[in-house]
Amino acid sequence: MKRFHGIIFLVTVGMVSCDQQTTPQKTGEESLQTYPDSIYELNAIMNKDKLSLASKRALERNYYQGPEWFISFEESDLKGDFAYEPGVVRRDPSDVISVNGIYYVYYSKASGKTYGFGTGDPEKKVFPWDKTEVWYATSQEGWTWKEEGIAVGRGPAGAYDDRSVFTPQIFTREGKYVLVYQTVKAPYVNRVKNQVGMAIADSPNGPFVKLDAPILSPSDDGEWRGEEDNRRIVNKQGSFDSHKVHDPTLLYYRNKYYLYYKGERMGERNTLGGREIKWGVAIADKLEGPYIKSEYNPITNSGHELCVWPYDGGIAALIITDGPERNTIQWSSDGINFEIKSFIKYGPPAAGLDQSVDNEKGPLEALKWGLTHKYVSYDEQYIRRFEGRGPAMNP
Ligand code: AAL
């Protein structure tokens, strides 16, 4: 087993040395002895000839780097309509946009008890995000919020979004206000495959006009086994997004529309990182699509709700909750190839960022503040505020 590790290690050193972004100056590729003395010193490695696996990883992955991407978070309750309200679900806030000095946010809202699957009554709510609609709220200063009404409702019976519309993200460009969100068609069973919808308005207050068809669907390359409504039982798992396409987030990047999303897989397994959750991206030339899934998908091996922002010509990502690389902040120079920039203790779930912040002030400026949600119970969730506290933040 030791020898096996040694071989892997030499190969990895060779690969890492191609990456100019993170690799310290190495003078050769074939041996560990080629790191400059300063790198051993920074890693507190006093004996280059006796390297533990942990020390080898520290050298390979540049663990001595500074805290520019390291951050912690504080969360607080909000006022007005975002204060906790018994019996109501408000969750999965979008990013915040600022229009004429007023903040806007979009989110999933529902009320009523969540029963789970298998009640025998297809009308009963199965998840907190079942039978939700997209609502929106405004605020002058980001602390006291006023609920304004519905932005996107459920479709008529038989439509692809007749059961639930939820987990919205807002995108603005060229005077258009665009919501992308998850949709579910009834009946909401364990094996249901959701889709992503889009609705467009000329004002942040709407009216938001839905496209006729969803813009993204799960990959169609898995195969359930048997008829039981059990999402874990498959003949074939298929792609990382063969079951669900969640948390859509749209960015305009390199003259194209990049639709980032979370995938869930048919027959989902648990791995050493917990749930088998990964992200992908689908790219379009035009806002309405078609959105073509990247051949490089999946582009993360971890994560849960999407949280991405442009920085320094690339795209940064807050990756939390699931997978071996959860609780990391990552960055890619091309929107596809993400590398770990920091390991954090915790990140706010379903984070929505303030899109009016000047991201270029620093790597984590986009995380200065935003909205998140908190579970009180399966029947009650409410929206809160988070603030980033890190060495890279401006005071
Ligand atoms: C969230 C998101 C999606 C899921 C559910 C509601 O954390 O990942 O939105 O469908 O949970």
Side-chain angles (χ1 to χ4, degrees):
M1 202 54 195
K2 264 189 181 150
R3 205 171 135 193
F4 180 68
H5 282 300
I7 291 164
I8 295 283
F9 177 64
L10 289 180
V11 172
T12 316
V13 166
M15 282 163 48
V16 170
S17 68
C18 300
D19 182 351
Q20 297 304 317
Q21 273 301 332
T22 56
T23 306
Q25 320 68 34
K26 290 178 198 163
T27 55
E29 297 184 354
E30 59 293 314
S31 148
L32 269 182
Q33 308 304 324
T34 57
Y35 288 91
D37 284 350
S38 59
I39 300 294
Y40 294 100
E41 173 71 19
L42 283 165
N43 281 295
I45 295 169
M46 309 318 271
N47 186 348
K48 300 177 193 176
D49 302 320
K50 297 286 177 196
L51 293 173
S52 65
L53 282 178
S55 293
K56 288 177 183 175
R57 280 200 301 280
L59 287 165
E60 282 170 50
R61 301 181 188 179
N62 311 314
Y63 283 173
Y64 70 91
Q65 285 180 105
E68 293 78 13
W69 290 83
F70 185 79
I71 191 168
S72 55
F73 296 94
E74 277 175 18
E75 294 180 12
S76 328
D77 281 354
L78 290 164
K79 298 186 184 127
D81 292 331
F82 280 176
Y84 160 66
E85 184 179 347
V88 175
V89 168
R90 286 191 187 87
R91 56 173 294 140
D92 290 302
S94 70
D95 281 356
V96 174
I97 55 169
S98 172
V99 184
N100 299 327
I102 297 175
Y103 288 125
Y104 286 75
V105 69
Y106 304 81
Y107 49 95
S108 315
K109 183 184 177 190
S111 53
K113 191 172 162 44
T114 292
Y115 291 87
F117 292 99
T119 59
D121 179 354
E123 284 309 315
K124 289 219 155 96
K125 230 159 104 64
V126 297
F127 279 132
W129 49 89
D130 184 14
K131 295 195 161 185
T132 48
E133 298 184 298
V134 174
W135 286 59
Y136 76 108
T138 56
S139 174
Q140 304 285 340
E141 27 61 303
W143 285 97
T144 302
W145 291 83
K146 176 174 179 294
E147 190 159 77
E148 301 284 357
I150 291 189
V152 183
R154 286 185 272 162
Y160 67 89
D161 58 353
D162 68 357
R163 176 73 182 214
S164 201
V165 290
F166 54 121
T167 315
Q169 181 56 292
I170 182 76
F171 170 83
T172 57
R173 185 172 143 73
E174 294 176 340
K176 298 287 181 202
Y177 296 84
V178 180
L179 287 169
V180 287
Y181 47 90
Q182 297 179 198
T183 64
V184 169
K185 185 178 192 316
Y188 204 148
V189 291
N190 265 303
R191 284 184 172 183
V192 78
K193 292 201 174 195
N194 85 296
Q195 291 171 302
V196 169
M198 177 185 278
I200 305 174
D202 293 325
S203 148
N205 299 297
F208 285 90
V209 179
K210 294 179 187 177
L211 302 191
D212 290 339
I215 57 167
L216 195 74
S217 298
S219 297
D220 195 19
D221 55 359
E223 192 181 301
W224 299 119
R225 184 190 304 161
E227 297 303 314
E228 185 194 339
D229 182 33
N230 186 329
R231 69 184 185 90
R232 304 265 184 186
I233 304 177
V234 288
N235 288 328
K236 197 169 108 192
Q237 280 199 279
S239 298
F240 80 103
D241 59 350
S242 57
H243 191 187
K244 305 253 171 107
V245 284
H246 279 173
D247 300 273
T249 298
L250 196 54
L251 294 181
Y252 190 68
Y253 181 58
R254 295 187 169 183
N255 300 318
K256 291 185 190 288
Y257 296 88
Y258 276 56
L259 182 67
Y260 289 93
Y261 65 100
K262 174 188 106 186
E264 291 191 8
R265 199 176 187 195
M266 291 165 64
E268 183 189 320
R269 295 175 304 123
N270 283 330
T271 71
L272 84 173
R275 291 191 63 189
E276 197 182 4
I277 302 280
K278 301 174 172 63
W279 296 357
V281 64
I283 301 169
D285 292 325
K286 289 195 297 189
L287 174 65
E288 291 88 349
Y291 284 88
I292 310 295
K293 292 180 182 176
S294 168
E295 292 175 335
Y296 290 92
N297 285 351
I299 55 166
T300 71
N301 53 45
S302 302
H304 200 91
E305 298 103 346
L306 255 288
C307 180
V308 287
W309 65 96
Y311 174 67
D312 196 21
I315 304 293
L318 171 68
I319 293 187
I320 59 165
T321 310
D322 297 309
E325 292 181 4
R326 69 178 173 277
N327 294 347
T328 62
I329 294 182
Q330 306 198 9
W331 181 81
S332 72
S333 61
D334 60 2
I336 303 270
N337 291 290
F338 286 84
E339 60 179 323
I340 296 174
K341 296 301 234 176
S342 66
F343 297 87
I344 59 172
K345 288 184 182 170
Y346 162 86
L353 310 180
D354 177 0
Q355 290 184 4
S356 67
V357 162
D358 177 5
N359 291 0
E360 298 306 328
K361 276 192 181 167
L364 301 176
E365 196 67 19
L367 299 181
K368 208 169 181 166
W369 77 280
L371 299 180
T372 178
H373 65 208
K374 181 175 174 163
Y375 274 77
V376 178
S377 70
Y378 225 43
D379 299 331
E380 299 175 343
Q381 291 116 56
Y382 68 108
I383 292 176
R384 303 179 90 206
R385 176 174 167 125
F386 74 81
E387 271 154 294
R389 304 263 185 252
M393 308 297 297
N394 289 330

